[in-house]
Amino acid sequence: MSVERELARRFIYEAPPRDRQLRPVVRISSLGIGLGVMLILLSFFIIDGFKQEIHAKINGFSGSIRISSPSNIYGQYSQPLTLHDEVAGDIRELCGGAGVFTFIDQMALLKTDSAYSGVQLHGVDSLYNRDFYAGYLREGRLPDFSGSDPSGEALLSRSLADHLGLRVGDETLAYFTLDSGMKVRKLEVTGLFETGFPEYDRHLGVADVRLLRGVNGWEADQVGGVEVHYKGSKETAVAYSRLFDYFANRYANHGEEYTMHTSEEMNRGLLGWLSLLDANVALILVLLIAVAGMTMITGGVVLILQKVNAIATLKALGQRNASLRKVFRYMAVEVLWRGLLWGNIFAIALAMVQKIGKPITLDPSQYYMSYVPIVIDPVTLVLTNLLVTAVIYLLILIPTGIIAGIRPSNTLRFD
């Protein structure tokens, strides 16, 4: 063991007989760094959880990319898109392993004996995004659209069903107002879902695309649009570029017109709220690192002042300033890794408790979910620890500058 390491160990621990007990200033400094690291990591875990959960819900409802007729405006998919089998196959091939589903969105009025409510029926085919709705299913089962005839089964949100007084197994009438007049269809409620997104939960239902195609009087190859579902933004960007080139080629060669929108374009307001969260996290990161750094600087100054006589004696014996500064850097590293270790342990433990048990709840009308979401990203974990380590270690160099000003003649004469 080098002289510097041995001195650092003696300075950090209490003198015998308690030579394995950390000095109070070391414990306090480690605690301050640990709390800062814990709060930084929890902030990232929560923000990443919010972003992932909201993106997942948005993409689940509308898809990462929506393809429709350019005649549709303001999100109203009332003009049909003629989707040839060749085009449908090409879209699936270009999008790789993404989920590709056709849909028809149609406004309707649901009426029971005691209440009525407007609803947007999202017509889907038998290949619809079942995993998404299954994750938020609260009662009953998902509707089955695999039969040879149009199905009258429907999936409603729990809040909409409560308003109408409907339960699983009940039937209700859906009234459709069209240019040709009013049409009525009977729907059977097979299941109730709840996502925590009030904008969707209050007015959304899922029905058979063939039923809505019949209501609109469309042909068998006509749909409201196509949804492409991806989990990541990188895959969405690649697919969007491929589809853009493909549709440009279809227009040039066949005169077919298509329009595309990403989930970000369709939900700018909500995703803008998420960007504000990123700014808040950056501010929190700067403040907490500053607090942890100040804790480290203060602890270093106290450690040095406590050892002024020892430093003066060592200087008188010929030890140089560079060697003494190395001693205190070793001490600071000891304090730093202890703080990082306990900060990581408590952050991950608290995050796992929330992730599994969800004890901390939220108001869905304000936060779009009923609990605080958590995502423990290994990349975020590693980068945060590296950043905190680098910044605080650089700040450690500040108090070690005091050592150069300690003069053995003055200090020992005063003693």
Side-chain angles (χ1 to χ4, degrees):
M1 181 182 292
S2 66
V3 174
E4 289 84 359
R5 288 184 182 275
E6 178 62 23
L7 287 172
R9 188 187 69 80
R10 291 178 177 273
F11 287 173
I12 286 176
Y13 294 102
E14 295 279 9
R18 298 180 299 169
D19 58 344
R20 297 306 299 173
Q21 183 173 342
L22 294 172
R23 295 182 183 277
V25 66
V26 175
R27 294 199 298 269
I28 293 172
S29 299
S30 297
L31 177 62
I33 293 173
L35 288 174
V37 170
M38 182 187 71
L39 293 175
I40 290 171
L41 290 175
L42 287 176
S43 299
F44 277 119
F45 294 162
I46 292 171
I47 296 303
D48 287 346
F50 267 107
K51 293 170 69 175
Q52 181 172 304
E53 189 76 12
I54 291 178
H55 274 287
K57 290 182 180 182
I58 290 174
N59 291 343
F61 282 122
S62 60
S64 305
I65 301 173
R66 270 202 173 191
I67 305 165
S68 64
S69 168
S71 300
N72 292 310
I73 58 174
Y74 305 118
Q76 303 299 316
Y77 298 90
S78 57
Q79 298 300 316
L81 175 69
T82 301
L83 191 67
H84 305 297
D85 291 339
E86 176 190 359
V87 176
D90 289 342
I91 292 174
R92 287 186 169 87
E93 182 178 350
L94 290 169
C95 294
V100 179
F101 314 113
T102 58
F103 72 91
I104 295 176
D105 283 345
Q106 183 66 46
M107 296 300 299
L109 180 71
L110 297 186
K111 186 178 184 304
T112 61
D113 293 337
S114 58
Y116 62 89
S117 178
V119 62
Q120 177 177 295
L121 288 177
H122 185 58
V124 295
D125 56 28
S126 60
L127 302 176
Y128 72 102
N129 193 9
R130 296 177 64 89
D131 291 342
F132 170 74
Y133 291 104
Y136 298 103
L137 188 66
R138 298 295 178 260
E139 297 180 41
R141 62 172 177 84
L142 297 178
D144 182 11
F145 304 139
S146 61
S148 57
D149 297 324
S151 172
E153 296 182 349
L155 179 70
L156 298 182
S157 70
R158 176 182 279 176
S159 58
L160 178 60
D162 289 342
H163 174 73
L164 296 172
L166 293 172
R167 293 294 177 263
V168 173
D170 291 348
E171 293 183 341
T172 183
L173 295 178
Y175 295 84
F176 301 89
T177 303
L178 307 170
D179 294 337
S180 57
M182 180 175 289
K183 294 185 179 181
V184 183
R185 295 291 186 272
K186 182 182 291 185
L187 299 177
E188 178 189 355
V189 181
T190 64
L192 303 177
F193 70 90
E194 185 177 35
T195 67
F197 250 73
E199 288 81 357
Y200 292 101
D201 285 351
R202 293 171 186 163
H203 307 291
L204 182 69
V206 179
D208 193 336
V209 69
R210 295 171 297 178
L211 182 142
L212 298 183
R213 185 181 290 120
V215 169
N216 290 336
W218 292 356
E219 301 295 329
D221 60 352
Q222 290 183 316
V223 295
V226 180
E227 296 176 352
V228 180
H229 290 261
Y230 278 106
K231 291 184 178 180
S233 57
K234 292 183 179 178
E235 296 93 336
T236 300
V238 172
Y240 187 93
S241 178
R242 291 175 180 172
L243 290 172
F244 184 89
D245 294 338
Y246 174 74
F247 290 136
N249 184 62
R250 295 290 303 187
Y251 177 76
N253 295 329
H254 304 282
E256 298 172 357
E257 294 184 343
Y258 303 86
T259 187
M260 291 191 301
H261 294 92
T262 64
S263 59
E264 286 78 7
E265 292 172 336
M266 293 183 287
N267 299 274
R268 291 188 183 278
L270 185 57
L271 296 178
W273 174 69
L274 288 180
S275 65
L276 292 177
L277 292 181
D278 288 336
N280 292 338
V281 169
L283 179 61
I284 291 172
L285 178 63
V286 171
L287 291 176
L288 290 179
I289 289 180
V291 171
M294 291 302 298
T295 301
M296 196 69 212
I297 292 173
T298 304
V301 171
V302 173
L303 283 171
I304 292 171
L305 293 179
Q306 284 183 340
K307 298 298 177 182
V308 168
N309 290 337
I311 294 171
T313 302
L314 290 169
K315 279 190 173 186
L317 293 174
Q319 192 164 6
R320 295 181 177 274
N321 286 329
S323 177
L324 289 170
R325 295 182 72 171
K326 186 182 292 187
V327 170
F328 283 92
R329 285 202 297 271
Y330 282 138
M331 295 172 62
V333 169
E334 180 83 9
V335 173
L336 180 58
W337 81 258
R338 289 178 182 276
L340 288 172
L341 175 63
W342 289 109
N344 279 265
I345 289 174
F346 281 107
I348 294 174
L350 292 173
M352 291 302 298
V353 169
Q354 176 62 24
K355 188 178 181 68
I356 296 172
K358 300 178 176 58
I360 304 178
T361 59
L362 298 173
D363 180 3
S365 64
Q366 299 294 325
Y367 297 98
Y368 304 105
M369 56 197 72
S370 58
Y371 60 91
V372 175
I374 294 289
V375 170
I376 302 176
D377 183 8
V379 176
T380 300
L381 193 64
V382 171
L383 291 179
T384 301
N385 279 281
L386 289 176
L387 177 62
V388 172
T389 301
V391 173
I392 294 181
Y393 186 76
L394 291 175
L395 292 175
I396 289 170
L397 301 177
I398 297 175
T400 59
I402 300 174
I403 294 172
I406 298 176
R407 297 182 178 181
S409 57
N410 294 337
T411 304
L412 296 177
R413 184 173 62 231
F414 176 79
D415 225 19

